[in-house]
Amino acid sequence: MDRRFYTELARQSLEGAELGNDACARILSDASLEILPLLDAAFEVRKHYFGREVRVHILNNAQNGHCPEDCHYCAQAKSSKADIEEYGMKSDEEMLQEARQAYGKGASCYCMVFAGRGASQSRIDRLKRVLAQIKSEFPGKEICVSTGFVSNQGAVELKQAGLDRLNHNLNTSEAHYPQICTTHTFADRLNTLLAAKNAGLKVCSGMIVGMGEEHADIIDVARRLRALKAESIPVNLLVPIEGNVLSLQEAYLTPDFILRVLCLFRFLNPSSEIRVAAGRELHLRSMEVMALYPANSLFLQGYLNAKGSPNARALRMIKDAGFSIKSEVNLDELISSDKPKAELKTFKELRPAIK
C-alpha cells in the first residue's frame, strides 16, 4: 500500500497548510482510501496537540421547548411534533447543582443550553448571576453556554461574568441552510460567533451531518470553522427523533463515512478540540471507539433531548483504548461503581424450541 497520500495529509495539517478541495473530496468519497491509515494520519495530528487525552463534556437543558424557530432537526422547534418534556428556565440553585454533578462525573466543561431565538437582556442578567456562582465554587473549570443569538454587548457582558465558551453551531453550509431552517439565516448564526470572538470568548461551533447535505457542504463548514479559529468543534450526527421534520432517511450514515468526516475536520482544524457529539452511539455502532483517533472530545450523559450510552460504558471505552480524560477525578474511580456483570440465561433462552 502506498502511504504517501496519508502521510502528506498529516504533514500539511501539522505545518498549518490548508488542504485543497481535491484532497478534501478524496477523504470523503474515494473508496480506494483505506480507513485505518486515514485514521492513523489523523491521529498523528490529534496526538501532536492533545496526546491521548479525551476531554469530556456534560450538557444540561437549562430550559426545554417553547422555541419559535423551525430548525428541522430539533425536537424543541415549533415545527416538531416530538413528545418532549417542556419547562421554563431552571432555578439558579438547580443549575449550580447540575454543574457540581457534571464536574464530579469527570467533565472538563459544563454546558448550559437554553431554548429560544436569542438571549434577551433579562436572560443575560440571569446568566451573569449563575456564572458568578459557578465560577466562585469552581474557578478553574470551563463553562459553555448555548443561548441562541447574542449581541456584541451581550457577549461582552457574558465574558466579563466569567463565561469561557459560547456555543452556536453553524449546523450546515450557507448554501444548504435554507433547507433546514426558514426562521433565521446562516448569517444570523455567523454574526453571533463573530460577536463572541470580538468579546474574547472561545467559540464552540460545529455541524450536524446527515441532513441531506452534499460533501461540498461538509467541506465548506470545516473551512468556515478554520477561518473562525473555532476552539471547539462538535461534529453531530443527525438523531432522527420521531416528530421532527428530518427523518431517518436523511440521517442514514455509515461508520466509515462518519470517521472520514472526523478525519477531514481534524486535518482542516488541527489544533481545535474536535468532539464526536450527538448520535455517535447510533451511527458509529461497533466502530464508536475509532472516533477517538481523529476526535479528542465527547459528551457524557446524552444530548439535548436524546439519551446517550451510560457514562460508565463511554468512560470504559476510553480507558480500554488506552486514552485518559482531562479531569481531576480519577478515571478508574469513575468507572469502578459500575462493574460489568454476567447475566444468566432464562429458561426460555436455554430451551428456545419449547413454546
Side-chain angles (χ1 to χ4, degrees), residues 218-233:
I218 298 173
I219 296 168
D220 181 71
V221 174
R223 291 198 189 283
R224 288 269 193 172
L225 295 172
R226 178 189 177 93
L228 280 166
K229 295 181 172 60
E231 289 87 354
S232 178
I233 302 177

Side-chain angles (χ1 to χ4, degrees), residues 195-333:
K197 274 289 183 185
N198 291 336
L201 288 165
K202 293 179 182 177
V203 163
C204 174
S205 183
M207 77 173 300
I208 305 172
V209 182
M211 300 194 293
E213 70 281 341
E214 302 291 335
H215 289 179
D217 297 306
I218 298 173
I219 296 168
D220 181 71
V221 174
R223 291 198 189 283
R224 288 269 193 172
L225 295 172
R226 178 189 177 93
L228 280 166
K229 295 181 172 60
E231 289 87 354
S232 178
I233 302 177
V235 178
N236 298 282
L237 315 166
L238 181 66
V239 178
I241 295 173
E242 186 176 353
N244 285 359
V245 175
L246 291 177
S247 68
L248 186 60
Q249 182 176 354
E250 286 83 9
Y252 179 74
L253 299 164
T254 66
D256 177 84
F257 182 69
I258 294 164
L259 293 174
R260 288 170 179 266
V261 171
L262 291 170
C263 288
L264 175 74
F265 272 83
R266 174 55 67 203
F267 291 131
L268 285 176
N269 299 274
S271 63
S272 296
E273 178 182 347
I274 306 294
R275 188 170 315 110
V276 55
R280 72 169 195 268
E281 302 95 336
L282 175 67
H283 295 292
L284 280 166
R285 302 187 289 279
S286 60
M287 298 288 283
E288 184 183 347
V289 70
M290 305 307 291
L292 296 178
Y293 290 87
N296 67 298
S297 175
L298 54 71
F299 281 117
L300 286 184
Q301 213 161 288
Y303 311 103
L304 283 180
N305 288 99
K307 292 182 179 180
S309 59
N311 285 7
R313 178 187 175 277
L315 292 168
R316 192 174 290 113
M317 176 184 72
I318 292 170
K319 178 178 172 60
D320 289 348
F323 291 90
S324 61
I325 63 169
K326 182 182 180 181
S327 176
E328 295 171 2
V329 185
N330 183 272
L331 180 56
D332 289 327
E333 291 178 12

Side-chain angles (χ1 to χ4, degrees), residues 333-352:
E333 291 178 12
L334 289 169
I335 62 179
S336 63
S337 60
D338 188 21
K339 295 179 181 179
K341 299 177 182 178
E343 293 186 22
L344 295 176
K345 285 186 174 182
T346 65
F347 180 81
K348 288 184 178 180
E349 290 167 329
L350 286 165
R351 307 187 72 176

Side-chain angles (χ1 to χ4, degrees), residues 121-138:
Q121 187 58 50
S122 62
R123 180 182 289 183
I124 293 288
D125 292 339
R126 178 80 179 279
L127 266 171
K128 286 159 60 177
R129 188 170 70 237
V130 174
L131 288 168
Q133 290 175 322
I134 297 174
K135 280 295 185 180
S136 175
E137 190 167 336
F138 303 99

Side-chain angles (χ1 to χ4, degrees), residues 133-207:
Q133 290 175 322
I134 297 174
K135 280 295 185 180
S136 175
E137 190 167 336
F138 303 99
K141 297 292 188 179
E142 279 198 320
I143 307 172
C144 182
V145 163
S146 179
T147 184
F149 305 127
V150 176
S151 66
N152 290 320
Q153 180 58 33
V156 169
E157 291 185 41
L158 290 174
K159 170 65 176 177
Q160 292 173 343
L163 183 63
D164 300 290
R165 299 184 181 189
L166 185 77
N167 167 262
H168 203 61
N169 292 329
L170 290 179
N171 289 324
T172 194
S173 71
E174 186 169 12
H176 189 60
Y177 207 84
Q179 306 304 312
I180 67 163
C181 183
T182 65
T183 51
H184 62 263
T185 66
F186 182 90
D188 292 328
R189 288 189 169 267
L190 191 59
N191 287 338
T192 286
L193 294 176
L194 292 174
K197 274 289 183 185
N198 291 336
L201 288 165
K202 293 179 182 177
V203 163
C204 174
S205 183
M207 77 173 300

Side-chain angles (χ1 to χ4, degrees), residues 86-111:
E86 295 186 306
Y87 53 82
M89 197 180 302
K90 295 173 179 176
S91 68
D92 292 10
E93 180 55 35
E94 188 174 359
M95 287 186 271
L96 177 59
Q97 182 60 29
E98 288 177 349
R100 292 182 183 125
Q101 292 172 353
Y103 297 135
K105 291 175 181 176
S108 63
C109 185
Y110 171 60
C111 314

